[in-house]
Amino acid sequence: MTTRNIMKKCISKRIGSAILALLVLLLAVGLFFVCYDPSDEFYLKKYANADAKFYNDYIITSVDEGMQMLDFKGKVVRSYEGLKASWIYTYPAEGLVVYSNHDNETHLLRLDDEMDMVSDEVILKSELLAIDPTICKVGDTYLITHTTIEGTINNPAPDGDNGIYTLELFASKDLKNFEHRATIVSEKHDIEDIDMLYDNDTLYCFYEREDYDKGPSKICMRASKDSGSTWSDEKILIENGGDNEPACIIKEANGYRFFYSSDKECIGKSYNGASAYSAFFDADFVHLTEYDEKIDMKDNYGVRLYEVKVTENAMYFMFAHNYMTDKDFVLRKVEIDEK
């Protein structure tokens, strides 16, 4: 056999091997697309964020006191450089995000339809640490809250001295000029994880009242019939059978579904032992315990639940996993059973 024939034979074998490898690769890719589950979920190791909220079909989150927007795969789609954020609340209907930081500032961030930053302004400045801002709208008036802390922050001991936590409400028609409208609650307990809801001509404020940091806590509610000027007495929605951390409340056809995380099955482990639950209340906020449930989802242990998004076919649970140690950030999708 000549050298030329040997070379032709070798080249032919290499081409054949390359074609075979390409066919195997294409088959593998095809199988990948057939077998790949396109469900929107993620598990980000060591993400270490402080807060997170849904923003339409995205997630806005504070990490290392910066702010990022993620998609439902955990991919960063926007980074907002130069912003210092720890606690976040969103009003996507008008492209608004309020956030607070350790500089005692509460900011208003405006986003355009592409989620790019239009403006960022300090709207409230306190001499005290101000946490857990919220925003909602009643008629033509925007209502914004934050909670200031005077004295001890996150008292860790049952017999320790708590600081004074004061939940304040401010009103504005133009989001530039704010007037103090009411003090919703002020006491020597940790008042945290605030949520607001306006429904049936009533403004509802929900919060956690904690005996001491990561200790037993109640989930409470107050209501206002005059757009936040005056408030009802406190109503306890969930008793302090554990470290109960409110996430959000969602209106349903016959009442309200409240989502929260709790270590009630392993008292004392707080975030690192908590699981996600839901509780159901009728239209008058009577607790119908027969409809309560522990959420059937993967990783439902060591949960600090940030928020829940409910769509027609699924519920999305967004939480920190083992917040005090691993600091992972998780989105889990739970299909809704049509039955």
Side-chain angles (χ1 to χ4, degrees):
M1 182 179 292
T2 65
T3 302
R4 179 176 295 178
N5 287 337
I6 292 172
M7 290 179 66
K8 283 182 178 180
K9 189 172 181 180
C10 289
I11 292 171
S12 177
K13 283 185 177 180
R14 288 177 182 173
I15 292 174
S17 298
I19 291 173
L20 180 61
L22 180 60
L23 288 172
V24 170
L25 176 62
L26 290 173
L27 179 61
V29 171
L31 286 174
F32 172 80
F33 281 112
V34 170
C35 300
Y36 175 65
D37 179 3
S39 298
D40 293 318
E41 288 190 328
F42 60 71
Y43 194 108
L44 304 180
K45 300 286 289 183
K46 306 291 184 182
Y47 189 76
N49 60 343
D51 200 2
K53 293 290 186 291
F54 287 106
Y55 186 91
N56 294 325
D57 293 327
Y58 294 87
I59 293 164
I60 192 164
T61 180
S62 56
V63 57
D64 294 329
E65 290 209 327
M67 193 181 292
Q68 296 180 335
M69 190 80 75
L70 310 180
D71 64 17
F72 277 23
K73 296 292 186 185
K75 177 183 177 182
V76 177
V77 296
R78 294 288 186 280
S79 289
Y80 303 102
E81 303 298 333
L83 305 188
K84 293 177 64 178
S86 293
W87 301 275
I88 298 174
Y89 201 92
T90 63
Y91 189 57
E94 297 193 18
L96 303 176
V97 178
V98 291
Y99 68 91
S100 297
N101 57 35
H102 287 88
D103 291 336
N104 305 346
E105 299 170 340
T106 298
H107 286 239
L108 178 70
L109 171 66
R110 296 175 186 262
L111 303 178
D112 63 19
D113 291 342
E114 301 301 317
M115 299 179 300
D116 292 322
M117 184 170 68
V118 176
S119 63
D120 175 64
E121 300 173 271
V122 178
I123 55 173
L124 299 170
K125 178 73 175 176
S126 172
E127 295 181 357
L128 306 171
L129 179 63
I131 66 171
D132 292 342
T134 72
I135 181 171
C136 68
K137 193 175 184 181
V138 177
D140 64 351
T141 302
Y142 298 91
L143 300 174
I144 289 178
T145 71
H146 67 192
T147 304
T148 60
I149 308 172
E150 181 180 0
T152 304
I153 298 169
N154 292 337
N155 161 51
D159 57 352
D161 185 32
N162 282 354
I164 300 173
Y165 283 63
T166 302
L167 174 54
E168 305 277 18
L169 176 69
F170 302 85
S172 174
K173 291 185 181 297
D174 58 8
L175 290 176
K176 293 183 180 299
N177 301 293
F178 290 85
E179 63 175 17
H180 182 265
R181 178 160 288 187
T183 296
I184 301 174
V185 59
S186 181
E187 57 184 67
K188 297 188 74 172
H189 286 92
D190 293 7
I191 304 296
E192 299 177 328
D193 299 323
I194 317 303
D195 197 14
M196 302 287 284
L197 173 69
Y198 183 68
D199 186 47
N200 291 330
D201 298 321
T202 304
L203 181 64
Y204 297 100
C205 178
F206 307 91
Y207 53 92
E208 174 191 14
R209 179 154 63 83
E210 198 167 39
D211 297 340
Y212 54 91
D213 188 40
K214 300 179 181 61
S217 60
K218 299 178 176 71
I219 296 177
C220 306
M221 181 267 286
R222 292 177 188 255
S224 173
K225 293 288 188 180
D226 54 10
S227 301
S229 295
T230 60
W231 291 85
S232 69
D233 292 338
E234 180 178 271
K235 180 180 178 66
I236 297 172
L237 300 183
I238 297 174
E239 293 285 355
N240 58 346
D243 183 9
N244 299 316
E245 300 285 332
C248 62
I249 188 163
I250 295 175
K251 182 177 173 61
E252 295 187 355
N254 300 313
Y256 304 92
R257 177 71 62 179
F258 201 100
F259 294 95
Y260 66 105
S261 50
S262 176
D263 66 350
K264 58 186 175 182
E265 294 182 0
C266 48
I267 302 291
K269 290 194 174 182
S270 189
Y271 304 144
N272 274 20
S275 298
Y277 300 87
S278 73
F280 186 78
F281 299 85
D282 69 12
D284 297 317
F285 281 94
V286 174
H287 189 181
L288 306 181
T289 57
E290 64 268 30
Y291 298 109
D292 290 359
E293 62 179 344
K294 182 177 180 179
I295 305 303
D296 183 15
M297 70 174 177
K298 188 178 179 182
D299 303 311
N300 194 9
Y301 184 80
V303 168
R304 180 191 176 192
L305 190 61
Y306 289 129
E307 198 174 16
V308 180
K309 180 181 178 67
V310 178
T311 67
E312 184 178 352
N313 301 313
M315 295 184 294
Y316 295 88
F317 291 82
M318 178 172 58
F319 57 92
H321 199 225
N322 296 327
Y323 179 79
M324 293 185 289
T325 52
D326 298 336
K327 300 183 182 296
D328 301 332
F329 185 36
V330 185
L331 180 68
R332 284 287 173 250
K333 181 180 179 181
V334 177
E335 300 288 345
I336 293 177
D337 188 353
E338 296 297 333
K339 296 178 182 180

